[in-house]
Amino acid sequence: MYFVYILFSPSKNKFYTGFTQNLEERIRKHNLNHKGFTGGCGDWILKYKEEFLDRQDALNREKQIKSWKSRKMIEQLIANL
């Protein structure tokens, strides 16, 4: 099983989109102090997830969401849960 997920950081007021096979572990790693976009704040909250059986389907969906480059569209996606 693969997951496409969207996290939100209140301190950064930003969303982050990714994909993984182990969602709990991946969120834990995002919240560790490390270099990179998600490092340093430790307050990432899961706001949205989709499940896929196929890795390529998950990767395609992640790319689709990232291609939007639109906070409004991400907020609409989350609101339509």
Coordinates of all heavy atoms in Angstrom, one line a residue:
M1 N 0.8 -1.2 0.0 CA 0.0 0.0 0.0 C 0.9 1.2 0.0 O 1.9 1.3 0.7 CB -0.9 0.0 1.2 CG -1.9 1.1 1.3 SD -3.2 0.9 0.1 CE -4.0 -0.6 0.6
Y2 N 0.5 2.2 -0.8 CA 1.2 3.5 -0.9 C 0.2 4.6 -0.5 O -1.0 4.5 -0.7 CB 1.7 3.7 -2.3 CG 2.8 2.7 -2.7 CD1 2.4 1.5 -3.3 CD2 4.1 3.0 -2.5 CE1 3.3 0.6 -3.6 CE2 5.1 2.0 -2.8 CZ 4.7 0.8 -3.4 OH 5.6 -0.1 -3.7
F3 N 0.8 5.7 0.1 CA 0.0 6.8 0.5 C 0.5 8.1 -0.1 O 1.7 8.3 -0.1 CB 0.1 7.0 2.0 CG -0.5 5.8 2.8 CD1 0.4 4.7 3.2 CD2 -1.8 5.7 3.1 CE1 -0.1 3.6 3.8 CE2 -2.3 4.6 3.8 CZ -1.4 3.6 4.1
V4 N -0.4 8.9 -0.6 CA -0.1 10.3 -0.9 C -0.7 11.1 0.2 O -1.8 10.9 0.7 CB -0.8 10.7 -2.3 CG1 -0.6 12.2 -2.5 CG2 -0.2 9.9 -3.4
Y5 N 0.1 12.0 0.8 CA -0.4 12.7 2.0 C -0.1 14.2 1.8 O 0.8 14.6 1.1 CB 0.3 12.2 3.2 CG 1.8 12.3 3.2 CD1 2.5 13.4 3.7 CD2 2.6 11.3 2.6 CE1 3.9 13.5 3.7 CE2 4.0 11.3 2.5 CZ 4.6 12.5 3.1 OH 6.0 12.6 3.0
I6 N -0.9 15.0 2.6 CA -0.6 16.4 2.7 C -0.5 16.7 4.2 O -1.4 16.4 5.0 CB -1.8 17.2 2.1 CG1 -1.9 16.9 0.6 CG2 -1.5 18.7 2.3 CD1 -3.0 17.6 -0.1
L7 N 0.6 17.4 4.5 CA 0.8 17.8 5.9 C 0.7 19.4 6.0 O 0.9 20.0 5.0 CB 2.3 17.5 6.4 CG 2.7 16.0 6.3 CD1 4.1 15.9 6.7 CD2 1.8 15.1 7.1
F8 N 0.4 19.8 7.2 CA 0.3 21.3 7.4 C 1.1 21.6 8.6 O 1.1 20.9 9.6 CB -1.1 21.8 7.6 CG -1.2 23.2 7.8 CD1 -1.0 24.1 6.8 CD2 -1.5 23.7 9.1 CE1 -1.1 25.5 7.0 CE2 -1.5 25.1 9.3 CZ -1.4 26.0 8.3
S9 N 1.9 22.7 8.5 CA 2.7 23.2 9.7 C 2.1 24.6 10.1 O 2.2 25.5 9.3 CB 4.1 23.4 9.3 OG 4.8 24.2 10.3
P10 N 1.5 24.6 11.3 CA 1.0 25.9 11.8 C 2.1 27.0 11.9 O 1.8 28.2 11.6 CB 0.4 25.6 13.1 CG 0.1 24.1 13.1 CD 1.1 23.5 12.2
S11 N 3.3 26.6 12.4 CA 4.3 27.6 12.6 C 4.8 28.2 11.2 O 5.2 29.3 11.2 CB 5.5 27.0 13.4 OG 6.1 26.0 12.7
K12 N 4.9 27.3 10.2 CA 5.3 27.8 8.9 C 4.1 28.3 8.0 O 4.3 29.0 7.0 CB 6.0 26.7 8.1 CG 7.4 26.4 8.6 CD 8.1 25.4 7.7 CE 9.5 25.2 8.1 NZ 10.3 24.6 7.0
N13 N 2.9 27.9 8.4 CA 1.7 28.2 7.7 C 1.9 27.7 6.2 O 1.5 28.4 5.3 CB 1.4 29.7 7.7 CG 0.0 30.0 7.2 OD1 -0.9 29.1 7.3 ND2 -0.2 31.2 6.6
K14 N 2.4 26.5 6.1 CA 2.6 25.9 4.8 C 2.1 24.5 4.7 O 2.0 23.8 5.8 CB 4.1 25.8 4.5 CG 4.8 27.2 4.5 CD 4.7 27.8 3.2 CE 5.5 29.1 3.1 NZ 5.3 29.9 2.0
F15 N 1.8 24.0 3.5 CA 1.5 22.6 3.2 C 2.7 21.9 2.6 O 3.5 22.5 2.0 CB 0.3 22.6 2.3 CG -1.0 23.0 2.8 CD1 -1.5 24.2 2.6 CD2 -1.8 22.1 3.6 CE1 -2.8 24.6 3.1 CE2 -3.0 22.4 4.2 CZ -3.5 23.7 3.9
Y16 N 2.7 20.6 2.8 CA 3.7 19.8 2.2 C 3.0 18.5 1.7 O 2.2 17.9 2.4 CB 4.8 19.4 3.2 CG 5.8 18.4 2.6 CD1 6.9 18.9 1.9 CD2 5.7 17.0 2.7 CE1 7.8 18.1 1.4 CE2 6.6 16.2 2.2 CZ 7.7 16.7 1.5 OH 8.6 15.8 0.9
T17 N 3.3 18.2 0.4 CA 2.8 17.0 -0.2 C 3.9 15.9 -0.4 O 4.9 16.3 -0.9 CB 2.1 17.3 -1.5 OG1 1.1 18.3 -1.3 CG2 1.4 16.1 -2.2
G18 N 3.6 14.7 -0.1 CA 4.5 13.6 -0.4 C 3.8 12.3 -0.6 O 2.6 12.2 -0.6
F19 N 4.7 11.2 -0.8 CA 4.1 9.9 -0.8 C 5.1 8.9 -0.2 O 6.3 9.2 -0.1 CB 3.8 9.5 -2.3 CG 4.9 8.8 -3.0 CD1 4.9 7.4 -3.2 CD2 5.9 9.5 -3.6 CE1 5.9 6.8 -3.9 CE2 6.9 8.9 -4.3 CZ 6.9 7.5 -4.5
T20 N 4.5 7.8 0.4 CA 5.3 6.9 1.1 C 4.6 5.5 1.3 O 3.4 5.5 1.0 CB 5.6 7.4 2.6 OG1 6.5 6.6 3.2 CG2 4.3 7.6 3.4
Q21 N 5.3 4.5 1.7 CA 4.6 3.3 2.0 C 4.3 3.2 3.5 O 3.4 2.5 3.9 CB 5.5 2.1 1.7 CG 5.5 1.7 0.3 CD 6.2 0.4 0.0 OE1 7.4 0.3 0.0 NE2 5.4 -0.7 -0.2
N22 N 5.0 3.9 4.4 CA 4.8 3.9 5.8 C 4.5 5.3 6.3 O 5.4 6.1 6.6 CB 6.1 3.3 6.5 CG 5.9 3.1 8.0 OD1 5.0 3.8 8.6 ND2 6.7 2.3 8.6
L23 N 3.2 5.6 6.3 CA 2.8 7.0 6.6 C 3.2 7.4 8.0 O 3.7 8.5 8.2 CB 1.3 7.1 6.4 CG 0.7 8.4 6.5 CD1 1.3 9.4 5.5 CD2 -0.8 8.4 6.3
E24 N 3.0 6.6 9.0 CA 3.3 7.0 10.4 C 4.8 7.3 10.6 O 5.1 8.3 11.2 CB 2.9 5.9 11.4 CG 1.4 5.8 11.6 CD 1.0 4.7 12.6 OE1 1.8 4.3 13.3 OE2 -0.2 4.3 12.5
E25 N 5.6 6.5 10.0 CA 7.1 6.7 10.1 C 7.5 7.9 9.3 O 8.4 8.7 9.8 CB 7.8 5.4 9.6 CG 9.3 5.6 9.6 CD 9.9 5.7 11.0 OE1 9.2 5.4 12.1 OE2 11.1 6.1 11.1
R26 N 6.9 8.1 8.2 CA 7.3 9.3 7.4 C 6.9 10.6 8.1 O 7.7 11.5 8.1 CB 6.6 9.2 6.0 CG 7.1 10.2 5.0 CD 8.5 9.9 4.7 NE 9.1 11.0 3.8 CZ 10.1 11.8 4.2 NH1 10.7 11.6 5.4 NH2 10.5 12.7 3.5
I27 N 5.7 10.6 8.7 CA 5.3 11.9 9.4 C 6.3 12.1 10.6 O 6.7 13.2 10.9 CB 3.9 11.8 9.9 CG1 2.9 11.8 8.7 CG2 3.5 12.9 10.8 CD1 1.5 11.4 9.0
R28 N 6.6 11.0 11.3 CA 7.6 11.1 12.4 C 8.9 11.7 11.9 O 9.5 12.6 12.6 CB 7.8 9.7 13.0 CG 8.7 9.8 14.3 CD 9.1 8.4 14.8 NE 10.0 7.8 13.9 CZ 11.4 8.1 13.9 NH1 11.8 9.0 14.7 NH2 12.2 7.5 13.1
K29 N 9.4 11.3 10.8 CA 10.6 11.8 10.2 C 10.5 13.3 9.8 O 11.5 14.0 10.0 CB 11.1 11.0 9.1 CG 11.7 9.6 9.5 CD 12.2 8.8 8.3 CE 12.7 7.5 8.8 NZ 13.2 6.7 7.6
H30 N 9.4 13.6 9.3 CA 9.2 15.1 9.0 C 9.3 15.9 10.2 O 9.7 17.1 10.1 CB 7.8 15.3 8.3 CG 7.7 14.9 6.9 ND1 8.5 15.5 5.9 CD2 7.0 14.0 6.2 CE1 8.2 14.9 4.7 NE2 7.3 14.0 4.9
N31 N 8.8 15.4 11.3 CA 8.8 16.2 12.6 C 10.1 16.2 13.3 O 10.2 16.8 14.4 CB 7.7 15.8 13.4 CG 6.4 16.4 13.0 OD1 6.3 17.6 12.7 ND2 5.4 15.5 12.8
L32 N 11.1 15.5 12.8 CA 12.5 15.5 13.4 C 13.2 16.8 13.0 O 12.9 17.4 12.0 CB 13.3 14.3 13.0 CG 12.7 12.9 13.6 CD1 13.6 11.8 13.0 CD2 12.8 12.9 15.1
N33 N 14.2 17.1 13.8 CA 15.0 18.3 13.4 C 16.1 17.8 12.3 O 17.0 17.1 12.6 CB 15.7 18.8 14.7 CG 16.4 20.1 14.4 OD1 16.1 20.8 13.4 ND2 17.3 20.6 15.3
H34 N 15.8 18.3 11.1 CA 16.7 17.9 10.0 C 16.8 19.1 9.0 O 16.0 20.0 9.1 CB 16.2 16.6 9.3 CG 14.9 16.8 8.7 ND1 14.7 17.2 7.4 CD2 13.6 16.5 9.2 CE1 13.4 17.2 7.2 NE2 12.7 16.8 8.2
K35 N 17.7 19.0 8.1 CA 17.7 20.0 7.0 C 16.6 19.7 6.0 O 16.2 18.6 5.9 CB 19.1 19.9 6.3 CG 20.2 20.4 7.2 CD 21.5 20.4 6.4 CE 22.6 20.8 7.3 NZ 23.9 20.8 6.6
G36 N 16.2 20.7 5.3 CA 15.2 20.5 4.3 C 13.9 21.3 4.6 O 13.8 21.9 5.7
F37 N 12.9 21.2 3.7 CA 11.7 22.0 3.9 C 10.9 21.8 5.1 O 10.4 22.7 5.8 CB 10.8 21.8 2.6 CG 9.6 22.6 2.6 CD1 9.6 23.9 2.2 CD2 8.4 22.1 3.0 CE1 8.5 24.7 2.2 CE2 7.2 22.8 3.0 CZ 7.3 24.2 2.6
T38 N 10.8 20.5 5.5 CA 10.0 20.2 6.7 C 10.8 20.2 8.0 O 10.2 20.0 9.1 CB 9.3 18.8 6.5 OG1 10.3 17.8 6.4 CG2 8.4 18.8 5.3
G39 N 12.1 20.3 8.0 CA 12.9 20.3 9.2 C 12.8 21.6 10.0 O 12.5 22.6 9.5
G40 N 13.0 21.4 11.3 CA 13.2 22.6 12.1 C 11.9 23.0 12.9 O 12.1 23.8 13.9
C41 N 10.7 22.7 12.5 CA 9.6 23.2 13.2 C 8.9 22.1 14.0 O 8.4 22.3 15.1 CB 8.6 23.9 12.3 SG 7.9 22.8 11.0
G42 N 8.9 20.8 13.6 CA 8.3 19.7 14.3 C 6.9 19.7 14.6 O 6.4 19.1 15.5
D43 N 6.1 20.5 13.9 CA 4.7 20.6 14.1 C 3.8 20.2 12.9 O 2.7 20.6 12.8 CB 4.3 22.0 14.6 CG 4.5 23.1 13.6 OD1 5.1 22.8 12.5 OD2 4.0 24.2 13.8
W44 N 4.3 19.3 12.1 CA 3.6 18.9 10.9 C 2.4 18.0 11.3 O 2.6 17.0 12.0 CB 4.5 18.2 9.9 CG 5.5 19.1 9.3 CD1 6.8 19.3 9.7 CD2 5.3 20.0 8.2 NE1 7.4 20.2 8.9 CE2 6.5 20.7 8.0 CE3 4.2 20.3 7.4 CZ2 6.6 21.7 7.1 CZ3 4.3 21.3 6.5 CH2 5.5 22.0 6.3
I45 N 1.2 18.3 10.8 CA 0.0 17.6 11.1 C -0.6 17.0 9.8 O -0.6 17.7 8.8 CB -1.1 18.6 11.7 CG1 -0.5 19.3 12.9 CG2 -2.4 17.9 12.0 CD1 -1.3 20.5 13.3
L46 N -1.0 15.8 9.8 CA -1.6 15.1 8.7 C -3.0 15.7 8.4 O -3.8 15.7 9.3 CB -1.7 13.6 8.9 CG -2.4 12.8 7.7 CD1 -1.5 12.9 6.5 CD2 -2.6 11.4 8.2
K47 N -3.2 16.3 7.2 CA -4.5 16.9 6.9 C -5.2 16.1 5.8 O -6.4 16.2 5.7 CB -4.2 18.3 6.3 CG -3.8 19.3 7.4 CD -4.9 19.5 8.4 CE -4.6 20.7 9.3 NZ -5.7 21.0 10.2
Y48 N -4.5 15.3 5.1 CA -5.1 14.5 4.0 C -4.3 13.3 3.6 O -3.1 13.4 3.6 CB -5.3 15.5 2.8 CG -5.9 14.9 1.6 CD1 -7.3 14.8 1.5 CD2 -5.2 14.4 0.5 CE1 -7.9 14.3 0.4 CE2 -5.8 13.8 -0.6 CZ -7.2 13.8 -0.7 OH -7.8 13.2 -1.8
K49 N -5.0 12.3 3.2 CA -4.2 11.1 2.6 C -5.1 10.4 1.6 O -6.3 10.4 1.7 CB -3.8 10.2 3.7 CG -4.9 9.4 4.4 CD -4.4 8.4 5.4 CE -5.6 7.7 6.1 NZ -5.2 6.8 7.1
E50 N -4.5 9.7 0.7 CA -5.1 8.9 -0.3 C -4.3 7.6 -0.3 O -3.1 7.6 -0.2 CB -5.1 9.5 -1.7 CG -6.0 10.6 -1.9 CD -6.0 11.2 -3.3 OE1 -5.8 10.4 -4.2 OE2 -6.2 12.4 -3.5
E51 N -4.9 6.4 -0.5 CA -4.3 5.1 -0.5 C -4.3 4.6 -2.0 O -5.2 4.7 -2.7 CB -5.0 4.1 0.4 CG -4.9 4.6 1.8 CD -5.7 3.6 2.7 OE1 -6.1 2.5 2.2 OE2 -5.9 3.9 3.9
F52 N -3.1 4.0 -2.3 CA -3.0 3.4 -3.6 C -2.3 2.0 -3.5 O -1.5 1.8 -2.7 CB -2.1 4.3 -4.5 CG -2.7 5.6 -4.8 CD1 -2.5 6.7 -3.9 CD2 -3.4 5.8 -5.9 CE1 -3.0 7.9 -4.2 CE2 -3.9 7.1 -6.2 CZ -3.7 8.1 -5.3
L53 N -2.7 1.1 -4.4 CA -2.1 -0.2 -4.4 C -0.8 -0.2 -5.2 O 0.1 -1.0 -5.0 CB -3.1 -1.3 -5.0 CG -4.3 -1.5 -4.2 CD1 -5.2 -2.5 -4.9 CD2 -4.0 -2.1 -2.8
D54 N -0.8 0.7 -6.2 CA 0.4 0.8 -7.1 C 1.2 2.0 -6.8 O 0.7 3.1 -6.7 CB -0.2 0.8 -8.6 CG 0.9 0.8 -9.6 OD1 1.4 -0.3 -9.8 OD2 1.2 1.9 -10.1
R55 N 2.5 1.8 -6.8 CA 3.5 2.8 -6.5 C 3.4 3.9 -7.6 O 3.4 5.1 -7.2 CB 4.9 2.3 -6.5 CG 6.0 3.3 -6.2 CD 7.4 2.7 -6.2 NE 8.4 3.6 -5.8 CZ 8.9 4.6 -6.5 NH1 8.6 4.7 -7.8 NH2 9.8 5.4 -6.0
Q56 N 3.3 3.6 -8.8 CA 3.3 4.6 -9.9 C 2.0 5.4 -9.8 O 2.1 6.6 -10.1 CB 3.4 3.9 -11.3 CG 3.7 4.9 -12.4 CD 4.9 5.7 -12.2 OE1 6.0 5.1 -12.0 NE2 4.8 7.0 -12.3
D57 N 0.9 4.8 -9.4 CA -0.3 5.6 -9.3 C -0.2 6.6 -8.2 O -0.6 7.8 -8.3 CB -1.5 4.7 -9.0 CG -1.9 3.8 -10.1 OD1 -1.6 4.2 -11.3 OD2 -2.7 2.8 -9.9
A58 N 0.5 6.2 -7.1 CA 0.7 7.2 -6.0 C 1.6 8.3 -6.4 O 1.4 9.5 -6.1 CB 1.3 6.5 -4.8
L59 N 2.7 8.0 -7.1 CA 3.6 9.0 -7.6 C 3.0 9.9 -8.6 O 3.2 11.2 -8.5 CB 4.8 8.3 -8.3 CG 6.0 9.2 -8.8 CD1 6.5 10.0 -7.6 CD2 7.0 8.3 -9.4
N60 N 2.1 9.4 -9.4 CA 1.4 10.3 -10.4 C 0.5 11.2 -9.7 O 0.4 12.4 -10.0 CB 0.7 9.5 -11.4 CG 1.6 8.7 -12.4 OD1 2.7 9.1 -12.5 ND2 1.0 7.7 -13.0
R61 N -0.2 10.8 -8.6 CA -1.1 11.6 -7.9 C -0.3 12.7 -7.1 O -0.8 13.9 -7.1 CB -2.0 10.8 -6.9 CG -2.9 11.6 -6.1 CD -4.0 12.3 -7.0 NE -5.0 12.8 -6.1 CZ -5.8 13.8 -6.4 NH1 -5.6 14.5 -7.5 NH2 -6.7 14.2 -5.5
E62 N 0.8 12.3 -6.5 CA 1.6 13.3 -5.8 C 2.0 14.4 -6.8 O 1.9 15.6 -6.5 CB 2.8 12.6 -5.2 CG 3.7 13.6 -4.5 CD 5.2 13.1 -4.3 OE1 5.6 12.3 -5.1 OE2 5.8 13.6 -3.4
K63 N 2.5 14.0 -8.0 CA 3.0 15.0 -9.0 C 1.8 15.9 -9.4 O 2.0 17.1 -9.6 CB 3.6 14.3 -10.2 CG 4.9 13.7 -9.9 CD 5.5 13.0 -11.2 CE 6.8 12.4 -10.9 NZ 7.3 11.7 -12.1
Q64 N 0.6 15.3 -9.6 CA -0.6 16.1 -9.9 C -0.8 17.2 -8.9 O -1.0 18.3 -9.3 CB -1.8 15.2 -10.1 CG -3.0 16.0 -10.5 CD -4.3 15.1 -10.5 OE1 -4.4 14.2 -9.6 NE2 -5.2 15.4 -11.4
I65 N -0.9 16.8 -7.7 CA -1.2 17.7 -6.6 C -0.1 18.8 -6.5 O -0.4 20.0 -6.4 CB -1.3 17.0 -5.2 CG1 -2.6 16.2 -5.2 CG2 -1.4 18.0 -4.1 CD1 -2.7 15.2 -4.0
K66 N 1.2 18.4 -6.6 CA 2.3 19.4 -6.6 C 2.2 20.3 -7.8 O 2.6 21.5 -7.7 CB 3.6 18.7 -6.5 CG 3.9 18.1 -5.2 CD 5.3 17.4 -5.1 CE 5.6 17.0 -3.7 NZ 6.9 16.5 -3.6
S67 N 1.8 19.8 -8.9 CA 1.7 20.7 -10.1 C 0.7 21.8 -10.0 O 0.8 22.8 -10.7 CB 1.4 19.8 -11.4 OG 0.0 19.5 -11.4
W68 N -0.3 21.7 -9.1 CA -1.3 22.7 -9.0 C -0.6 24.0 -8.5 O -1.1 25.1 -8.9 CB -2.3 22.3 -7.9 CG -3.2 21.2 -8.3 CD1 -3.4 20.6 -9.6 CD2 -4.0 20.4 -7.4 NE1 -4.2 19.6 -9.5 CE2 -4.6 19.4 -8.2 CE3 -4.2 20.4 -6.1 CZ2 -5.5 18.5 -7.6 CZ3 -5.0 19.5 -5.5 CH2 -5.7 18.5 -6.3
K69 N 0.4 23.9 -7.6 CA 1.0 25.1 -7.1 C 0.0 26.1 -6.6 O 0.2 27.3 -6.7 CB 2.0 25.7 -8.1 CG 3.1 24.8 -8.6 CD 4.0 25.6 -9.5 CE 5.0 24.7 -10.2 NZ 5.9 23.9 -9.4
S70 N -1.0 25.6 -5.9 CA -2.1 26.4 -5.5 C -2.6 26.0 -4.1 O -3.1 24.9 -3.9 CB -3.3 26.3 -6.5 OG -4.4 26.9 -6.0
R71 N -2.4 26.9 -3.2 CA -2.9 26.7 -1.8 C -4.4 26.5 -1.8 O -4.9 25.6 -1.1 CB -2.4 27.8 -0.9 CG -2.8 27.6 0.5 CD -2.4 28.8 1.4 NE -2.7 28.5 2.7 CZ -1.9 28.4 3.7 NH1 -0.6 28.4 3.5 NH2 -2.2 28.1 4.9
K72 N -5.1 27.3 -2.6 CA -6.6 27.2 -2.7 C -7.0 25.8 -3.1 O -8.0 25.3 -2.5 CB -7.1 28.2 -3.7 CG -7.6 29.5 -3.0 CD -8.3 30.3 -4.1 CE -8.7 31.7 -3.5 NZ -9.3 32.5 -4.4
M73 N -6.4 25.3 -4.1 CA -6.8 23.9 -4.6 C -6.5 22.9 -3.5 O -7.3 21.9 -3.3 CB -6.1 23.6 -5.9 CG -6.7 24.4 -7.1 SD -6.0 24.0 -8.7 CE -6.6 22.4 -9.0
I74 N -5.4 23.0 -2.8 CA -5.1 22.0 -1.8 C -6.1 22.2 -0.6 O -6.6 21.2 -0.1 CB -3.6 22.2 -1.3 CG1 -2.7 21.8 -2.3 CG2 -3.4 21.5 0.1 CD1 -1.2 22.1 -2.0
E75 N -6.4 23.4 -0.3 CA -7.4 23.6 0.8 C -8.8 23.0 0.4 O -9.5 22.5 1.2 CB -7.5 25.1 1.2 CG -6.3 25.5 1.9 CD -6.3 27.0 2.1 OE1 -7.0 27.8 1.4 OE2 -5.5 27.5 3.0
Q76 N -9.2 23.2 -0.9 CA -10.4 22.6 -1.4 C -10.4 21.1 -1.3 O -11.4 20.5 -1.0 CB -10.7 23.1 -2.8 CG -11.1 24.5 -2.9 CD -11.3 25.0 -4.3 OE1 -10.9 24.3 -5.3 NE2 -11.9 26.2 -4.5
L77 N -9.3 20.5 -1.7 CA -9.2 19.0 -1.7 C -9.3 18.5 -0.2 O -10.1 17.6 0.0 CB -7.8 18.6 -2.2 CG -7.5 17.1 -2.2 CD1 -8.4 16.4 -3.1 CD2 -6.0 16.9 -2.5
I78 N -8.7 19.2 0.7 CA -8.8 18.8 2.1 C -10.2 19.0 2.6 O -10.8 18.2 3.4 CB -7.8 19.6 3.0 CG1 -6.4 19.2 2.6 CG2 -8.1 19.5 4.5 CD1 -5.3 20.1 3.2
A79 N -10.9 20.1 2.2 CA -12.2 20.4 2.7 C -13.3 19.4 2.2 O -14.3 19.2 2.8 CB -12.6 21.8 2.3
N80 N -13.0 18.8 1.0 CA -13.9 17.8 0.4 C -13.8 16.4 0.9 O -14.3 15.5 0.3 CB -13.8 17.8 -1.1 CG -14.3 19.1 -1.7 OD1 -15.1 19.8 -1.2 ND2 -13.7 19.5 -2.8
L81 N -13.2 16.3 2.1 CA -13.0 14.9 2.7 C -14.4 14.3 2.9 O -15.3 14.7 3.5 CB -12.2 15.0 4.0 CG -10.7 15.1 3.8 CD1 -10.0 15.3 5.1 CD2 -10.1 14.0 3.0

